[in-house]
Amino acid sequence: MPRARIIAATLALVALCASFTMPTHAQSRTGVQRLYILNCGEGVAGDISRWSPGVNEGRSMDFVDNCYLIKHAQGWMLWDTGVNDAIAAMPDGQKPADPRATHWKRPKTLASELAQLGVKPSDIKYVAVSHSHPDHTGNVEMFPQTMLLVQKAEYEWPGANNMPRFKPEHPVTKLEGDKDVFGDGSVTIISTPGHTPGHQSLLVKLPKTGALLLSGDAVHFQSNWDNRRVPAINADQEQTRASMQRMADTLAKEKATLWINHDKAQRDTLKMAPEYYE
Ligand SMILES: [Zn+2]
């Protein structure tokens, strides 16, 4: 056989093999495999009318704070990081300066919850936060090498005394709108500004459970969602209303279920890590 024909035949064989192996390879790189709900804080809100001006004045309520750990075929992703792990060591938790705000405790550290699942902080490929408030960003620096996914508008929003809200040296992708995180439509950041300038929510499509929309703080508890109430602590009322409408449209379009981060009554009905959703 002439040398050129041998080379051509070899190349054809290689191409044929690649065409057989590629679909399997592509398949193994797509899709969410598991979603864990982590306990990232438990608190008591002194006066829930802060989140519903004029309604429920003086009424106290138990709050929860969730983190969501997602196992995708391409790697781990953490959505929100909860209140700082140091609060776990405080005998009476962290009392707020304003008694109407939330008194947070941390029954378990995020570090211990990840360790229980056999996940090291360096295993996490992406950390995305719904927004920059401390009950969501408390442990971002547990993942100093991990790519942070945050809206540009949130990243650049000046903090107290004009301080940056995130460490400038932390690897970051500054988003401007929605983001299909793994490129397969299974995990999508949905821009929902209003509560803060760059607030975002997360649409997760699970093979067995179906689609979930993780609220972030676009809404804090069920009755406020049902009545589309805008909290007093809020960056832009019109944006907040538009974002809630966008969430409602997304829920309808994707036949998704809304999981409200701080809603204890709802979370009490859900499985916590080490149990998981598929
Ligand atoms: Zn919050």
Side-chain angles (χ1 to χ4, degrees):
M1 205 188 250
R3 193 183 156 84
R5 280 191 58 193
I6 293 172
I7 292 169
T10 308
L11 287 176
L13 191 66
V14 168
L16 190 68
C17 290
S19 73
F20 280 120
T21 54
M22 265 170 63
T24 327
H25 182 66
Q27 217 170 34
S28 70
R29 299 274 296 159
T30 63
V32 175
Q33 298 164 346
R34 292 181 177 188
L35 180 145
Y36 295 90
I37 308 175
L38 309 181
N39 183 337
C40 273
E42 292 178 4
V44 180
D47 181 350
I48 57 167
S49 69
R50 295 175 97 225
W51 294 276
S52 55
V55 183
N56 292 323
E57 278 183 23
R59 202 182 129 202
S60 149
M61 193 161 118
D62 290 347
F63 267 36
V64 292
D65 192 15
N66 298 320
C67 300
Y68 304 87
L69 179 67
I70 296 163
K71 187 182 187 189
H72 185 277
Q74 290 171 37
W76 293 96
M77 173 176 175
L78 183 65
W79 173 251
D80 278 337
T81 68
V83 296
N84 192 287
D85 268 6
I87 292 176
M90 299 176 186
D92 195 29
Q94 189 183 58
K95 278 191 181 157
D98 178 347
R100 298 175 310 143
T102 309
H103 180 169
W104 288 113
K105 296 184 178 178
R106 217 187 204 293
K108 297 174 179 182
T109 61
L110 176 58
S112 71
E113 290 182 272
L114 292 175
Q116 191 192 3
L117 298 172
V119 177
K120 295 192 294 291
S122 58
D123 293 337
I124 309 276
K125 188 170 184 176
Y126 298 113
V127 171
V129 290
S130 57
H131 63 301
S132 58
H133 284 163
D135 52 321
H136 300 263
T137 54
N139 297 295
V140 165
E141 289 313 318
M142 193 185 298
F143 312 93
Q145 311 301 327
T146 300
M147 181 55 71
L148 176 66
L149 304 177
V150 62
Q151 296 290 322
K152 186 168 182 277
E154 191 77 6
Y155 193 89
E156 292 178 354
W157 183 32
N161 302 318
N162 234 15
M163 291 285 283
R165 289 172 183 266
F166 299 93
K167 279 204 168 173
E169 62 269 30
H170 197 118
V172 63
T173 303
K174 296 176 208 169
L175 307 174
E176 293 180 75
D178 298 353
K179 170 75 179 174
D180 177 354
V181 177
F182 295 99
D184 61 3
S186 65
V187 179
T188 310
I189 290 173
I190 309 275
S191 169
T192 50
H195 178 60
T196 59
H199 187 278
Q200 53 189 12
S201 304
L202 193 72
L203 178 67
V204 185
K205 295 180 181 172
L206 283 155
K208 292 184 185 166
T209 308
L212 300 171
L213 183 60
L214 308 181
S215 63
D217 283 4
V219 58
H220 291 75
F221 41 91
Q222 188 66 43
S223 62
N224 274 9
W225 171 252
D226 295 340
N227 295 288
R228 301 289 190 271
R229 292 188 189 121
V230 178
I233 315 123
N234 191 72
D236 188 309
Q237 292 210 359
E238 281 317 301
Q239 276 191 339
T240 297
R241 285 196 191 90
S243 289
M244 285 199 257
Q245 185 58 51
R246 189 167 180 221
M247 290 165 73
D249 294 344
T250 303
L251 292 171
K253 178 169 173 266
E254 305 290 348
K255 298 184 173 60
T257 304
L258 178 63
W259 280 6
I260 302 175
N261 189 314
H262 289 308
D263 191 304
K264 181 176 188 297
Q266 182 185 44
R267 202 194 68 179
D268 285 347
T269 68
L270 302 176
K271 292 186 283 191
M272 300 296 291
E275 291 187 84
Y276 54 84
Y277 289 86
E278 290 181 291

